[in-house]
Amino acid sequence: MNKYKNQYHSLVSSSKWSTMVRKRSTTLTLFFIIFLSLISFGIFVPVFALLPSLSSHSLHHHQQQLLPATKKNHGYARKFEISDDKFWKDGQPFQIIGGDLHYFRVLPEYWEDRLLRAKALGLNTIQTYVPWNLHEPRAGTLDFEGIADLVSFLKLSQRLGILVMLRAGPYICAEWDLGGFPPWLLAINPAPRLRSSDPAFLQLVERWWGSLLPKVAPLLYGSGGPIIMVQIENEFGSYGDDKAYLHHLVSLARKHLGDEVILYTTDGGFRETLEKGTIRGDAVFSAVDFTTGDNPWPIFELQKEFNAPGKSPPLSSEFYTGWLTHWGEKNAQTSADFTAAALKNILERNGSAVLYMAHGGTNFGFYNGANTGSDESDYKPDLTSYDYDAPIRESGDVNNAKFKALRRVVEQYSSVSLPAVPSDNEKKAYGSIHVTKTGNLFELIRYFDVVKSDNPISMESTGQMFGFLLYVTEYTAKDNGGESIVSIPKVHDRAQVFISCPSEDGHGKPTYVGTLERWSNQPLTLPNTKCLSNISLLVLVENMGRLNYGPYIFDRKGILSPVSLDGRILRKWKMYLVPIINLNESPKINPIIRAANSGVITMSAHKRLKLKSGNASKEPAFYAGYFYISKEDIIKDTFISLSGWGKGIVTINNFNIGRFWPLKGPQCNLYVPAPVLQNGKNVVVIFELESPNPELVVQLVDQPDFTCGPRKLNVHQL
């Protein structure tokens, strides 16, 4: 998206890895046993263990035979094409009235629900990105199952009579971590130049598209599928002007998809961005996007200059229905009537538009993206919610002014009668959940995988692609007992600093010193500490989401600079990989469940954990609780309210719901889709980085809330 216009073989070289020793703890099984009271609650287990298989029930029911390529319609072969500055479908003029709806932001069990709501809005086309990082989370490991089952989503769209515009990347932006690039790209040495004709980068893209595009080729419109157009890259003109890169992507797409499908680019409606981001001629169609409310028709005239004569149907491929929101901003909201009037201005003259977003959905797990302002340190991570103030809200609600206003406009220009509008899905407030502290992070680290290096290295270089990494080293206290100053000039993105001094019994509880943030990084004063031996310095770094847009997109995480103490560089670091599972990670064999089933856990182990809870102030710790849904009750959507808590993540029944940060706001409540829940016992686990709610309570409520945190002007208001 054009949001800030001003602004495997070599995964890691052997020489780099030779400086590190990766050690997997031989006591890992013991860790699983001792901390079952935490782990059995699900914070380290597969995300989709609970969710029904796509081969069962609804999605299995939706699979159907696609129409054969020889199907005729009024004497015309099944074909989607461009001529006379119009789109043509099966020989008839066609107006695209579409909307973005991302399969990876909606649970598969709700794909049909959201698509039907989009159809009730009057949309005849859905546009979706394909995030490389979701489908190849580890180099060479492909995932097209569960929420990543793109083919099932496309076939479902076909069954429901909805066309698809597929945005294949490899870069997608989308307020998605690293713009859809897999973070293991950042661990390759030497580093490939992303979004360029660098041969090392192109080789990786060739391998990825060599897996992706053959899967979607049978689903092209001419082959009987729903895909009418395939996008190349995304708003490249706002980033660079490497035409060799774009031409290479076109050649790759043609190799796998053939010559008949329409390839397209999307760029901001300015001459400069179109000059850099388009491919002249009739090989690739150039679409535009622009600020909602701008006069579209001069921009559509400019668009014609970048398409072959007669090959430029006016298309706004990102018509913004709302806007994104970062932590610490006021929740973005735009006028329903204003947005509807702007859409009417396009449709009434036979222009085409794709609503961005029709339905935003949710950034589950650790996949939210981030933006920057004037420089790399002006870092702005996105919320867990991707509601976007879209007409179909995060939870699927359509009983709102924007849906109604846009539907009234679309109804005037639709070539078919619109379906009835479905009612909103019922939400339920399941009430209060009392949680118990089950252990703090520092009690667990001896069971984590560890990487050793003389200097701190990035998260990606340790193999920890998302979440948290704990850096540990030691230093000697000053002889005079004075204070020390620790400096970490470059940390991405947020670091909590602790010191620990072994006590006479050999154990020392870490003491919180302060927090360093990418956007406000200042040296910290370490207090005077008398120790029997060296003092441990512990730095817990959170990856809050990689940049998805702009010049600083090569966004490694962790400690990215030397760490100095009173001007002296600290060395001999251990980096502990905190094993919190992300959205698409699903190990085949789970030793945690195996340990649980072994029956080794005893009540005394649980009691010992409770006795060790102690003072929870400013320490990263885990909390867990239960709630029950009667076997007779229909499971309904809900929201978990983290008001009164600090910052962290929450999982329910092994599903990573996402990040919370009510102190910063504006999001107070996280959306919990009904398919995450189950009849009987439901388990909530909270990883709180700072201070928990004093009452150790969370609430399950029946509505969203975006009123937390300080009040600030939003970056985008219409």
Side-chain angles (χ1 to χ4, degrees):
M1 293 180 58
N2 195 14
K3 302 177 180 64
Y4 295 89
K5 299 184 179 73
N6 297 328
Q7 337 218 9
Y8 132 96
H9 295 300
S10 59
L11 180 57
V12 180
S13 67
S14 59
S15 61
K16 184 170 187 177
W17 278 104
S18 65
T19 65
M20 297 178 287
V21 180
R22 181 152 187 163
K23 182 181 74 175
R24 294 194 175 269
S25 171
T26 59
T27 55
L28 188 58
T29 302
L30 179 60
F31 158 60
F32 297 140
I33 294 173
I34 294 178
F35 292 101
L36 182 65
S37 60
L38 162 65
I39 297 170
S40 63
F41 293 145
I43 198 160
F44 302 146
V45 300
V47 169
F48 277 97
L50 180 69
L51 302 183
S53 168
L54 289 179
S55 63
S56 63
H57 193 47
S58 59
L59 286 186
H60 178 75
H61 174 72
H62 297 152
Q63 309 309 312
Q64 72 166 32
Q65 190 72 27
L66 298 181
L67 294 174
T70 57
K71 180 76 175 179
K72 302 289 183 178
N73 182 6
H74 303 294
Y76 288 89
R78 179 179 172 89
K79 190 173 185 180
F80 192 87
E81 57 191 328
I82 296 174
S83 67
D84 194 25
D85 288 335
K86 295 184 181 68
F87 295 109
W88 297 78
K89 177 175 171 286
D90 302 337
Q92 299 295 317
F94 185 79
Q95 184 179 32
I96 294 175
I97 306 178
D100 265 76
L101 191 162
H102 303 155
Y103 62 97
F104 47 91
R105 285 184 161 123
V106 180
L107 293 191
E109 293 84 351
Y110 273 163
W111 284 347
E112 180 174 10
D113 177 87
R114 303 305 194 259
L115 287 169
L116 288 175
R117 291 170 191 275
K119 197 168 183 178
L121 182 57
L123 306 188
N124 55 34
T125 305
I126 285 298
Q127 185 171 242
T128 185
Y129 288 116
V130 180
W132 183 359
N133 53 12
L134 181 74
H135 294 286
E136 193 175 5
R138 302 280 173 177
T141 301
L142 295 174
D143 185 357
F144 286 92
E145 298 180 355
I147 203 168
D149 192 350
L150 170 61
V151 170
S152 287
F153 179 80
L154 296 173
K155 289 181 177 179
L156 175 59
S157 300
Q158 166 79 6
R159 166 179 145 11
L160 298 176
I162 302 173
L163 302 174
V164 175
M165 296 167 63
L166 191 69
R167 314 179 86 173
Y171 166 78
I172 65 170
C173 186
E175 287 74 63
W176 193 254
D177 187 89
L178 200 57
F181 287 129
W184 49 262
L185 292 176
L186 307 183
I188 295 175
N189 186 16
R193 288 184 292 113
L194 306 182
R195 306 185 75 184
S196 81
S197 56
D198 174 11
F201 174 65
L202 291 181
Q203 185 178 12
L204 293 164
V205 174
E206 288 171 3
R207 195 184 69 199
W208 160 232
W209 271 15
S211 298
L212 170 67
L213 298 185
K215 289 182 181 293
V216 302
L219 298 167
L220 298 176
Y221 188 79
S223 299
I227 303 172
I228 56 172
M229 299 168 64
V230 177
Q231 182 175 297
I232 300 299
E233 244 275 351
N234 188 60
E235 296 181 332
F236 186 70
S238 298
Y239 177 81
D241 57 0
D242 189 340
K243 296 291 186 177
Y245 167 52
L246 296 179
H247 280 284
H248 192 86
L249 294 181
V250 172
S251 297
L252 274 178
R254 291 294 178 207
K255 173 184 175 181
H256 293 290
L257 302 178
D259 295 330
E260 296 300 317
V261 65
I262 298 172
L263 303 180
Y264 71 110
T265 57
T266 293
D267 285 285
F270 300 93
R271 183 172 298 278
E272 179 184 2
T273 52
L274 288 166
E275 289 279 3
K276 294 191 296 183
T278 61
I279 297 176
R280 298 292 186 113
D282 62 358
V284 180
F285 168 62
S286 302
V288 292
D289 58 31
F290 43 84
T291 301
T292 301
D294 286 354
N295 185 349
W297 292 100
I299 300 173
F300 290 145
E301 285 298 314
L302 177 63
Q303 177 192 2
K304 286 185 177 182
E305 297 184 29
F306 296 88
N307 285 305
K311 299 286 188 177
S312 192
L315 171 63
S316 172
S317 52
E318 288 191 10
F319 174 88
Y320 302 117
T321 61
W323 206 248
L324 64 106
T325 304
H326 303 118
W327 290 107
E329 295 175 350
K330 182 180 178 181
N331 192 41
Q333 292 182 308
T334 61
S335 164
D337 292 339
F338 180 90
T339 305
L343 180 62
K344 180 180 175 66
N345 196 12
I346 296 174
L347 300 185
E348 67 184 356
R349 294 174 59 179
N350 204 36
S352 292
V354 181
L355 309 184
Y356 194 101
M357 298 291 296
H359 171 58
T362 308
N363 295 318
F364 294 118
F366 296 117
Y367 275 112
N368 67 277
N371 290 290
T372 55
S374 57
D375 56 50
E376 187 179 12
S377 65
D378 188 11
Y379 172 79
K380 303 172 183 179
D382 299 320
L383 301 182
T384 296
S385 172
Y386 197 62
D387 179 85
Y388 211 84
D389 197 32
I392 305 172
R393 308 314 297 265
E394 179 180 15
S395 60
D397 286 1
V398 294
N399 185 17
N400 61 74
K402 187 168 289 183
F403 184 95
K404 294 173 182 177
L406 291 173
R407 189 177 189 274
R408 284 194 296 269
V409 170
V410 172
E411 195 167 26
Q412 297 176 47
Y413 305 100
S414 176
S415 60
V416 297
S417 298
L418 303 192
V421 178
S423 59
D424 291 346
N425 293 327
E426 187 177 350
K427 319 298 185 300
K428 184 165 183 177
Y430 287 101
S432 300
I433 304 172
H434 293 267
V435 299
T436 301
K437 182 180 177 184
T438 56
N440 72 56
L441 181 71
F442 303 120
E443 295 171 338
L444 308 179
I445 65 172
R446 65 186 181 276
Y447 304 109
F448 296 167
D449 288 351
V450 60
V451 173
K452 298 179 181 180
S453 177
D454 197 44
N455 294 301
I457 59 176
S458 70
M459 295 181 71
E460 295 82 5
S461 295
T462 70
Q464 183 80 337
M465 301 302 167
F466 295 94
F468 304 87
L469 189 64
L470 180 65
Y471 294 79
V472 180
T473 190
E474 294 182 350
Y475 67 93
T476 303
K478 290 183 176 180
D479 292 336
N480 59 11
E483 296 176 336
S484 294
I485 303 296
V486 64
S487 175
I488 312 177
K490 192 170 185 178
V491 59
H492 288 188
D493 298 300
R494 189 173 185 268
Q496 294 167 265
V497 180
F498 303 81
I499 59 172
S500 177
C501 173
S503 58
E504 292 182 0
D505 62 1
H507 300 284
K509 184 176 181 179
T511 301
Y512 173 73
V513 174
T515 298
L516 301 172
E517 295 169 321
R518 179 172 177 168
W519 54 94
S520 61
N521 190 335
Q522 298 292 330
L524 290 176
T525 300
L526 304 183
N528 174 20
T529 303
K530 293 183 179 181
C531 252
L532 298 176
S533 60
N534 287 343
I535 302 171
S536 293
L537 177 68
L538 305 94
V539 184
L540 178 62
V541 179
E542 179 186 4
N543 166 2
M544 294 177 61
R546 294 179 182 86
L547 299 175
N548 57 261
Y549 183 85
Y552 310 112
I553 192 172
F554 198 91
D555 187 21
R556 287 191 177 112
K557 297 301 185 181
I559 295 178
L560 306 177
S561 65
V563 179
S564 63
L565 184 73
D566 298 327
R568 177 176 61 86
I569 301 299
L570 295 177
R571 303 192 186 278
K572 296 183 179 180
W573 289 85
K574 296 179 181 179
M575 284 137 287
Y576 294 90
L577 285 61
V578 183
I580 300 177
I581 292 216
N582 199 13
L583 178 63
N584 61 310
E585 296 178 340
S586 183
K588 299 288 185 183
I589 300 174
N590 193 294
I592 299 165
I593 296 176
R594 180 181 295 172
N597 292 337
S598 70
V600 174
I601 307 303
T602 65
M603 184 58 67
S604 60
H606 293 278
K607 290 180 179 178
R608 284 196 298 271
L609 281 172
K610 292 182 179 180
L611 291 172
K612 293 173 70 175
S613 61
N615 181 6
S617 177
K618 288 291 185 181
E619 70 173 7
F622 298 95
Y623 302 82
Y626 309 85
F627 69 98
Y628 290 84
I629 299 177
S630 169
K631 293 183 179 180
E632 292 75 29
D633 287 351
I634 297 175
I635 300 173
K636 298 179 175 64
D637 289 355
T638 190
F639 295 84
I640 185 166
S641 172
L642 280 302
S643 293
W645 290 78
K647 187 181 195 304
I649 67 159
V650 60
T651 70
I652 299 180
N653 293 337
N654 312 330
F655 184 86
N656 192 332
I657 297 295
R659 308 178 197 265
F660 64 88
W661 199 6
L663 292 175
K664 193 77 169 179
Q667 186 172 5
C668 314
N669 304 348
L670 304 187
Y671 173 53
V672 182
V676 171
L677 305 178
Q678 61 190 0
N679 293 108
K681 185 167 77 171
N682 293 266
V683 183
V684 177
V685 174
I686 300 168
F687 181 38
E688 169 61 66
L689 294 170
E690 297 185 348
S691 300
N693 178 298
E695 304 299 321
L696 295 183
V697 171
V698 294
Q699 302 284 339
L700 291 175
V701 299
D702 59 3
Q703 58 189 354
D705 185 353
F706 292 94
T707 63
C708 284
R711 296 292 162 262
K712 295 182 181 180
L713 292 177
N714 195 22
V715 295
H716 189 89
Q717 292 283 305
L718 295 180

